[in-house]
Amino acid sequence: TTGSNLPAGSGVFNCTSSRTTKENFAAVDGEQLLATLRQVPVSTWNYTAEGAQARHIGPMAEDFHAAFGLGTNNTSIGVQDLAGIAIAAVKALDERTAEVDALRAQMLSLEERLAKLEQK
């Protein structure tokens, strides 16, 4: 009933994510997300109860919530929100990469044309 489970014998925590359980969809601007993400500090740390030998990495909930306004409070980060931000960021970077590849191909073509003109 919580929307999350850890099936018996599994090491995978599952979160309900079907579109049939969601509403109020809104598109994400990947470039804006990247600009916001750039401002979120990421550090390594340990939970006080675990001791210094158990290291983790990630943002602080307060910073994440201030930046994105996601989740139910500013003291925890939903794993779906972390995954969503990561996927959207990767997609935005992939779009940039495709644009860079196209510009690189155009530049090489222009350099070849220039070299031919200079040989004349």
Side-chain angles (χ1 to χ4, degrees):
T1 61
T2 64
S4 300
N5 64 57
L6 179 60
S10 174
V12 178
F13 181 77
N14 295 305
C15 297
T16 297
S17 194
S18 170
R19 73 176 40 89
T20 63
T21 65
K22 302 172 184 178
E23 60 186 5
N24 301 315
F25 300 93
V28 174
D29 179 341
E31 286 300 319
Q32 180 58 47
L33 181 136
L34 283 173
T36 302
L37 188 58
R38 202 173 289 117
Q39 303 305 312
V40 176
V42 176
S43 57
T44 63
W45 40 267
N46 64 277
Y47 287 108
T48 55
E50 288 182 322
Q53 73 282 357
R55 301 297 295 168
H56 302 279
I57 187 170
M60 299 301 120
E62 295 85 351
D63 298 329
F64 190 84
H65 191 269
F68 298 108
L70 299 172
T72 58
N73 59 56
N74 71 344
T75 60
S76 63
I77 303 174
V79 294
Q80 289 290 82
D81 294 329
L82 280 174
I85 293 292
I87 290 169
V90 166
K91 289 178 69 171
L93 291 173
D94 183 57
E95 288 178 23
R96 285 183 179 184
T97 301
E99 184 179 344
V100 168
D101 288 345
L103 290 170
R104 183 176 289 125
Q106 183 181 15
M107 183 186 69
L108 289 173
S109 174
L110 290 171
E111 286 177 346
E112 289 173 3
R113 290 173 55 195
L114 180 60
K116 287 178 183 177
L117 287 172
E118 289 176 338
Q119 289 177 354
K120 291 182 178 182

